[in-house]
Amino acid sequence: MNKAFVISCKESNYVIDCVKSIREHHRYSSIFIVDSCSNDKSYFSEVSQYGAIVLDASNKNYEYGAYLYWHKLYGNNYDSYIFMQDSIVLNQPIVEIDNVTDDNVMVFSQNRTGWDTGLMHRDYWYNLNPNFPVNDGKSMLMTIWNSFIITKNTFNKIVQSDIFNMSIPPHNKILSCAWERVWSIIFYENQISISSIKDGQITKIFGNRQ
């Protein structure tokens, strides 16, 4: 299966270690970085040494915007996508990476807290999206860190769906956090099951960025 790692990035604090880990454990996979208005773009040349392609997108819509920007340019060239934040480091090859199908999505951690860990995000989201299906999110895995593995066919289905196109893109940190639940609800509404990779395969670095 022809795979692409697509990394949403702002600044260089974490992305170099992220890219190094991907290249180490998935040697022949393509790596793309979508830059989100970084002030310091000196990392562009360093990650290119590992074969990563940087898209200077001036993205202002967090992970959502990065993924859609990349998908429009390169989505048709790959069978499956690994969408991830730049602050995730692989500890080993992701063993389930070839198990994703057109009927399921894989997230990076087992988390079923839904809106319970984001009540402010929930209220903010539904205030802006009053017609979005009401769902507490606890019956499904959360798309934690807005990072997931998905096939081309499934992502095409998602972005063409009515529920996706009625949903407001994130333009601030509150909405970006809300989208960790929104992605999962959109998958659910499109009859796409959600599973998780096994624990221990990745490390998430927390940087409290805005």
Side-chain angles (χ1 to χ4, degrees), residues 56-194:
D56 193 0
S58 299
N59 170 49
K60 296 181 180 178
N61 294 119
Y62 293 78
E63 297 86 0
Y64 167 107
Y67 303 159
L68 265 64
Y69 184 92
W70 175 86
H71 179 253
K72 184 177 180 179
L73 295 176
Y74 294 97
N76 286 335
N77 298 339
Y78 295 90
D79 301 312
S80 62
Y81 318 144
I82 303 91
F83 290 136
M84 56 192 287
Q85 290 183 346
D86 60 355
S87 52
I88 293 174
V89 174
L90 274 56
N91 301 326
Q92 65 175 65
I94 299 175
V95 297
E96 302 91 348
I97 202 166
D98 290 321
N99 296 340
V100 66
T101 71
D102 291 343
D103 299 316
N104 83 304
V105 167
M106 288 189 175
V107 296
F108 280 43
S109 181
Q110 295 269 355
N111 187 316
R112 294 183 183 272
T113 57
W115 293 110
D116 282 359
T117 52
L119 297 179
M120 175 185 68
H121 308 106
R122 178 199 64 189
D123 295 344
Y124 192 87
W125 173 260
Y126 280 105
N127 182 55
L128 295 176
N129 297 266
N131 296 319
F132 192 80
V134 176
N135 190 317
D136 64 14
K138 291 191 289 186
S139 63
M140 63 199 74
L141 290 171
M142 185 162 65
T143 309
I144 192 75
W145 313 311
N146 288 298
S147 299
F148 54 97
I149 306 169
I150 191 168
T151 67
K152 172 177 65 178
N153 292 337
T154 304
F155 196 69
N156 285 339
K157 176 181 179 179
I158 292 300
V159 299
Q160 293 167 11
S161 66
D162 290 339
I163 185 174
F164 181 85
N165 287 295
M166 69 179 281
S167 302
I168 294 176
H171 56 263
N172 58 36
K173 185 66 172 180
I174 296 175
L175 284 175
S176 175
C177 292
W179 267 89
E180 293 179 298
R181 290 87 177 169
V182 172
W183 282 114
S184 293
I185 296 171
I186 291 174
F187 297 148
Y188 174 82
E189 292 290 327
N190 279 280
Q191 290 80 53
I192 306 299
S193 65
I194 308 171

